Amino acid sequence: MQAVQPMSGFRLLEHTADIGIEAWGPTQSNLFEQAALGLRHLLVGTSQVTHNQQHQVHLDAEDAGELLVAWLNEIIFLFETQNLIPGEFRVERTNENELRAVIHAEPYTPERHVVEHQVKAATYHQLSLEQGSDGWHARIYLDL
């Protein structure tokens, strides 16, 4: 008997020097949220986040794959430059070329947050993003 895959989620993919995220969801917005949750897990594992700050995100790109890379790189940028630990993600709108979202976060505190991986960037290496009859699926690799 084959296990039933949930409607949305993510899993981490082992790679020689990097690490990947495979994400899926019934909608493109949900897929982007799941990919962001996968990145959050890589950054800080199960550290608790109080969500006391909101960061509005508006991104434009040539296609949905480029948009996914830009979305994850925006989260990495906030983590690296503003020391914000992402907690929750609400993708309000996404299509082939545009994303509008809210990232709920809190400032990094060494006493409360454990950094699991130093992620440099989301990459185009083996990037895949497609819509199928059962929803959206993506695979993206991150440079550590």
Side-chain angles (χ1 to χ4, degrees), residues 2 24 27 38-39 68 91 116-117:
Q2 186 178 14
W24 59 93
T27 66
L39 174 58
L68 179 60
V91 177
E116 299 284 333
H117 293 91

Side-chain angles (χ1 to χ4, degrees), residues 87-122:
E88 290 182 4
F89 308 92
R90 189 176 72 242
V91 177
E92 298 169 337
R93 172 190 159 112
T94 187
N95 57 39
E96 187 72 14
N97 305 96
E98 178 186 26
L99 175 134
R100 290 187 186 270
V102 177
I103 299 172
H104 298 271
E106 74 172 283
Y108 169 72
T109 308
E111 300 81 32
R112 290 181 25 87
H113 307 113
V114 176
V115 176
E116 299 284 333
H117 293 91
Q118 292 290 337
V119 179
K120 296 177 189 170

Side-chain angles (χ1 to χ4, degrees), residues 21-135:
I21 299 171
E22 181 176 16
W24 59 93
T27 66
Q28 185 178 2
S29 293
N30 186 258
L31 166 79
F32 277 55
E33 289 170 353
Q34 292 301 316
L37 288 170
L39 174 58
R40 179 202 181 283
H41 185 78
L42 282 170
L43 291 171
V44 295
T46 58
S47 293
Q48 295 297 313
V49 181
T50 60
H51 314 141
N52 61 8
Q53 292 188 18
Q54 290 186 11
H55 182 77
Q56 300 285 329
V57 177
H58 181 214
L59 301 170
D60 293 306
E62 293 295 318
D63 59 45
E66 184 178 309
L67 196 60
L68 179 60
V69 170
W71 165 236
L72 296 182
N73 281 331
E74 178 71 14
I75 297 165
I76 294 165
F77 178 78
L78 289 173
F79 180 71
E80 290 294 322
T81 64
Q82 296 182 23
N83 288 323
L84 287 178
I85 303 292
E88 290 182 4
F89 308 92
R90 189 176 72 242
V91 177
E92 298 169 337
R93 172 190 159 112
T94 187
N95 57 39
E96 187 72 14
N97 305 96
E98 178 186 26
L99 175 134
R100 290 187 186 270
V102 177
I103 299 172
H104 298 271
E106 74 172 283
Y108 169 72
T109 308
E111 300 81 32
R112 290 181 25 87
H113 307 113
V114 176
V115 176
E116 299 284 333
H117 293 91
Q118 292 290 337
V119 179
K120 296 177 189 170
T123 71
Y124 291 94
H125 176 67
Q126 295 183 358
L127 173 67
S128 69
L129 176 66
E130 57 189 29
Q131 181 181 18
S133 60
D134 59 343

